[in-house]
Amino acid sequence: SVDPATGEEVFLVQDARGEWIPVSGRSAVTPAYAAITDWLNFTFPFEPSRDGVGALLKRFMAILGRKFSSAVERPFGMNNYERSYEFGEGLKAFFCCGGAHQRRTALLSLSGKACAVVANWPTLVALGRDELRGRITRWDGAVDDYAGLHTVEEAIRLHEEDKFSSGGRPPKKKEHGAWKTPDGTGRSVVVGNRKNGKRLSVYEKGMELGCPWHPWVRWELSLGNKGRVI
């Protein structure tokens, strides 16, 4: 099935006990843990020209894979760039360039849905980091703990023990769901704020997908480059 909130594919696998459990479609295998990149934005020096843009789009499409096999120029820019192009259909994958305010740079933006179907991560990393001399401006990552070895309660305990502080004011914590009387619909903990460049979300993913008391917990980290190099 497909998670309506994220567009993420979820499928059932049989564990060692013969029980059927839901796991993320992003994982080719089903270990106790599966780590994924859930969003990627990076900018790099670029002087736009029609030939240069066309050549770079072809390189990106070849590396990203067949689901990115088309790139269409949009009628308007985005993220303060003058021109923008969209890869594939419904992936929310964009290339942006041009404009006086962007200091001769370009941007590649891959949503979680796009990250889930990237064909060749090592080659993309080599292109962005080594050849294009890119700088990551946003990176989201997640670890799927299918067995629930690290729970939402652990996230609260870590916050209470001041484990999320980094020398400044302790980050704020928010809790959502039925904490006083858990009902199998799932709970979540959010530490930090995306506006400040660091946010952790820990939630009971299996329950969120409609499986009461399922142990699957997802730990999601979002990093922005405000005050830090990613």
Side-chain angles (χ1 to χ4, degrees):
S1 66
V2 175
D3 181 351
T6 63
E8 176 182 354
E9 291 183 342
V10 179
F11 61 94
L12 295 175
V13 299
Q14 218 166 5
D15 67 11
R17 298 165 297 178
E19 296 182 2
W20 291 94
I21 60 172
V23 298
S24 170
R26 303 177 187 193
S27 307
V29 294
T30 56
Y33 298 100
I36 56 176
T37 290
D38 204 36
W39 195 290
L40 175 65
N41 286 1
F42 73 89
T43 62
F44 51 94
F46 186 69
E47 290 282 2
S49 68
R50 188 153 297 277
D51 290 343
V53 169
L56 190 56
L57 289 176
K58 287 181 180 179
R59 293 196 66 188
F60 279 136
M61 286 188 287
I63 292 171
L64 293 171
R66 60 183 179 83
K67 296 206 173 188
F68 302 82
S69 59
S70 64
V72 178
E73 185 167 6
R74 305 165 75 229
F76 42 83
M78 63 181 293
N79 291 2
N80 294 320
Y81 285 94
E82 197 171 72
R83 295 156 61 187
S84 64
Y85 301 79
E86 183 170 7
F87 295 102
E89 294 184 11
L91 295 177
K92 294 185 178 179
F94 303 100
F95 171 75
C96 307
C97 63
H101 301 290
Q102 293 304 329
R103 300 179 183 178
R104 298 176 178 175
T105 67
L107 163 72
L108 182 69
S109 178
L110 302 175
S111 71
K113 192 173 183 179
C115 287
V117 292
V118 169
N120 194 327
W121 275 107
T123 304
L124 178 62
V125 170
L127 174 64
R129 180 190 62 197
D130 304 328
E131 184 176 338
L132 298 177
R133 295 177 290 115
R135 180 181 63 147
I136 296 175
T137 57
R138 176 183 171 183
W139 180 84
D140 293 4
V143 170
D144 283 318
D145 180 359
Y146 297 124
L149 302 178
H150 299 278
T151 63
V152 289
E153 286 89 354
E154 181 175 342
I156 290 179
R157 177 178 60 79
L158 291 171
H159 185 271
E160 291 174 347
E161 294 174 356
D162 208 24
K163 299 295 187 181
F164 295 119
S165 298
S166 55
R169 181 182 301 174
K172 292 183 179 181
K173 171 179 62 70
K174 294 182 180 180
E175 302 166 16
H176 305 278
W179 283 87
K180 288 186 178 180
T181 309
D183 57 6
T185 60
R187 300 163 296 168
S188 65
V189 181
V190 179
V191 179
N193 191 317
R194 192 192 299 276
K195 291 181 180 179
N196 297 328
K198 282 193 293 187
R199 187 188 71 176
L200 176 71
S201 299
V202 184
Y203 58 101
E204 294 170 320
K205 182 71 174 176
M207 297 188 208
E208 180 195 59
L209 292 172
C211 297
W213 311 115
H214 191 279
W216 177 8
V217 177
R218 175 172 285 184
W219 292 64
E220 289 182 350
L221 176 66
S222 179
L223 293 176
N225 68 331
K226 181 179 180 180
R228 67 188 55 82
V229 175
I230 304 173

